[in-house]
Amino acid sequence: MAQGARRTAGQVVAVAVLAVAVAAFLSVAAVRHGFFDLKVYYGALHFWVHDHGEIYDYLKPGTQYGFTYPPFAALVMLPMAYLPWPAAITVSVAATVVVSAVLVWWLLDPVARRAGWTRWFVLAVALCLAAAFEPMRETVNFGQVNMLLLFLVAVDLLRLLPAGNRWAGVGIGLATAIKLTPGVFIVYLLITRRFRAAGTAVVAAAAATLLAAALFPDAAREFWTSALWNTDRVGELAFVSNQSLRGVVARLDPEHPSTLAWLALVLVTLAVWGWRCRAAVAVGDEATGLALTGALMCLVSPVTWVHHLVWLIPALILLVDNAVAAPAGSLRRRALLAGAVVSYLLLCSRIVWAWEKDFTGVGGFLGSNTYVWISLALLVLLPIRTWAAPVGGGPGDPVGPVDPAVGRRPAGSAGQPAGVAQFVEVNRRTATGQRHRVAGPLAVD
């Protein structure tokens, strides 16, 4: 057998063994939620379409949970009202798997190409690992829409914006119209001075919202005047699944959580995020901008259930990317790989649930907020990369600056998406100003 064939056979066996191991892990560790959130969407849509009730009046029998997304989300999900329940499950799972595979491919394929890894093997291993990731398996088991929204945002930030496409921003706008929290990416575009893309996002969100309002005026009026503000349907802020800064503060004093303390933490977090995002975009590192903003959204949202933490996936992949780009055997490579592995393992472990009943004391404070600490660490410590010559190029290959007005390099310069770029770390000893000159809601949620 030729060496290449033996290598391929070994990789196939390795993927098969990993898939069996992940399946065994999920059989023990994964909690079966019975597609709870999907049942809420399905029930609300049937109540609305077939029983002629108001969609925001529906509550899943025996619970306080109802449909709390904007009316445009109801429009997007409307076909579900005409599907049998097994078909709705199939569509939900299949859509999550497909968009997850595409997103992981976009982020990991450049790493595999630079490192000379077998690309299909890297994707297969990554998807097996993603299946074991607690936020991902919770998203699937609840029947949630998290990965679909992340994909819409990634289309803009990883594909359209770097290419200078005039439609950049549409994905963010549609994601915002489906669920309000991705609107933070409009702020990201604004603080990084991509005003055209930000305007496109605002127009797309407004157009989708107005379309839904025109088609379903009663539902729109109910959502914007009542359902959006009904915090009784949010759930308990101190519940251990709420891995946001608001959850941290609430667990300190569940009866009287300090809004002032939470707002102070949010302001500091926003300041750090804004500074780091501007530095990332100044050197053309749009993927890190996506990752940092995903971490920010998890931190500052009043409620961040564990399944929302799929927004940390880009940051974890970029830790691996930066580790691979570091010199072999270096302390930097070991530190980055250790950070990625430890963060991933903790986010697979359900560790926070050990303090579900009692999160008092120092141990409870630290343990019950483990996922928050990971989000903070990624926001503060995720490296910002700068472009170097494409693989195979010489020292004289041009690497043009990023034009912040359009979010791409001038025509003819090296960089994404044309060619495979090698990233190097920004020199942290360089002054911030010099770095910038390198390149130009709710319940069922």
Side-chain angles (χ1 to χ4, degrees):
M1 183 183 295
Q3 182 177 356
R6 286 197 299 270
R7 181 184 180 189
T8 299
Q11 290 171 335
V12 170
V13 171
V15 170
V17 170
L18 179 59
V20 170
V22 168
F25 171 75
L26 293 177
S27 69
V28 175
V31 176
R32 273 52 169 189
H33 299 293
F35 299 98
F36 182 93
D37 291 1
L38 188 64
K39 284 181 179 177
V40 173
Y41 310 151
Y42 190 81
L45 288 165
H46 272 256
F47 178 71
W48 188 36
V49 172
H50 300 296
D51 298 336
H52 307 293
E54 287 295 333
I55 190 168
Y56 295 107
D57 290 341
Y58 174 83
L59 294 178
K60 187 177 183 296
T63 77
Q64 63 180 6
Y65 298 114
F67 192 90
T68 52
Y69 290 149
F72 182 69
L75 175 61
V76 172
M77 296 181 186
L78 192 57
M80 194 186 303
Y82 302 96
L83 292 177
W85 174 239
I89 294 175
T90 301
V91 170
S92 173
V93 174
T96 297
V97 170
V98 169
V99 299
S100 299
V102 173
L103 176 65
V104 170
W105 178 256
W106 284 347
L107 291 168
L108 269 183
D109 185 55
V111 186
R113 292 168 68 189
R114 291 198 312 270
W117 298 337
T118 304
R119 293 156 69 192
W120 73 262
F121 178 68
V122 171
L123 178 63
V125 169
L127 291 179
C128 287
L129 296 177
F133 190 57
E134 184 181 355
M136 178 67 81
R137 64 187 194 241
E138 293 280 285
T139 288
V140 172
N141 284 331
F142 272 115
Q144 261 289 339
V145 299
N146 303 309
M147 287 306 301
L148 302 175
L149 300 178
L150 175 52
F151 175 76
L152 285 174
V153 172
V155 168
D156 275 345
L157 299 189
L158 300 184
R159 314 307 289 182
L160 300 183
L161 197 61
N165 191 295
R166 65 178 181 174
W167 293 100
V170 169
I172 292 172
L174 293 177
T176 302
I178 292 171
K179 182 179 177 182
L180 300 180
T181 48
V184 71
F185 284 92
I186 299 177
V187 182
Y188 165 72
L189 293 174
L190 289 172
I191 68 164
T192 54
R193 302 181 61 191
R194 271 77 63 80
F195 300 120
R196 184 176 67 189
T200 301
V202 170
V203 170
T209 300
L210 290 174
L211 172 64
L215 293 174
F216 317 122
D218 292 339
R221 181 172 57 253
E222 176 69 15
F223 176 78
W224 294 107
T225 62
S226 178
L228 176 61
W229 314 104
N230 186 357
T231 57
D232 291 338
R233 301 167 74 181
V234 174
E236 177 59 48
L237 290 175
F239 184 43
V240 74
S241 182
N242 184 14
Q243 291 292 303
S244 69
L245 293 172
R246 185 64 159 151
V248 172
V249 172
R251 282 186 284 277
L252 288 173
D253 185 1
E255 296 298 324
H256 304 94
S258 173
T259 299
L260 183 62
W262 171 59
L263 291 175
L265 289 172
V266 166
L267 289 175
V268 172
T269 304
L270 285 170
V272 173
W273 165 75
W275 167 64
R276 300 215 70 215
C277 283
R278 287 179 61 86
V281 170
V283 295
D285 193 359
E286 202 70 67
T288 296
L290 166 64
L292 294 173
T293 308
L296 172 87
M297 189 170 70
C298 294
L299 289 166
V300 303
S301 176
V303 175
T304 297
W305 302 132
V306 169
H307 57 76
H308 294 152
L309 296 174
V310 293
W311 289 89
L312 299 183
I313 289 175
L316 294 177
I317 292 176
L318 291 177
L319 276 182
V320 176
D321 188 348
N322 281 278
V324 172
S330 66
L331 176 61
R332 174 180 177 76
R333 173 175 282 196
R334 291 195 297 270
L336 289 171
L337 282 176
V341 171
V342 170
S343 297
Y344 170 78
L345 291 177
L346 287 173
L347 284 164
C348 290
S349 67
R350 289 183 53 84
I351 188 172
V352 298
W353 298 98
W355 290 273
E356 180 181 4
K357 302 299 183 183
D358 182 9
F359 38 73
T360 58
V362 175
F365 175 73
L366 295 175
S368 68
N369 299 307
T370 298
Y371 300 166
V372 180
W373 311 141
I374 293 173
S375 297
L376 282 170
L378 291 171
L379 179 67
V380 175
L381 301 176
L382 182 66
I384 294 172
R385 309 164 303 170
T386 186
W387 293 96
V391 171
D397 288 339
V399 179
V402 172
D403 182 351
V406 297
R408 62 181 175 89
R409 301 180 187 284
S413 66
Q416 192 180 25
V420 185
Q422 174 69 47
F423 287 115
V424 295
E425 171 66 4
V426 172
N427 186 347
R428 294 190 178 276
R429 290 173 292 184
T430 303
T432 301
Q434 292 175 317
R435 285 208 300 272
H436 280 274
R437 289 199 296 270
V438 170
L442 305 179
V444 181
D445 200 16

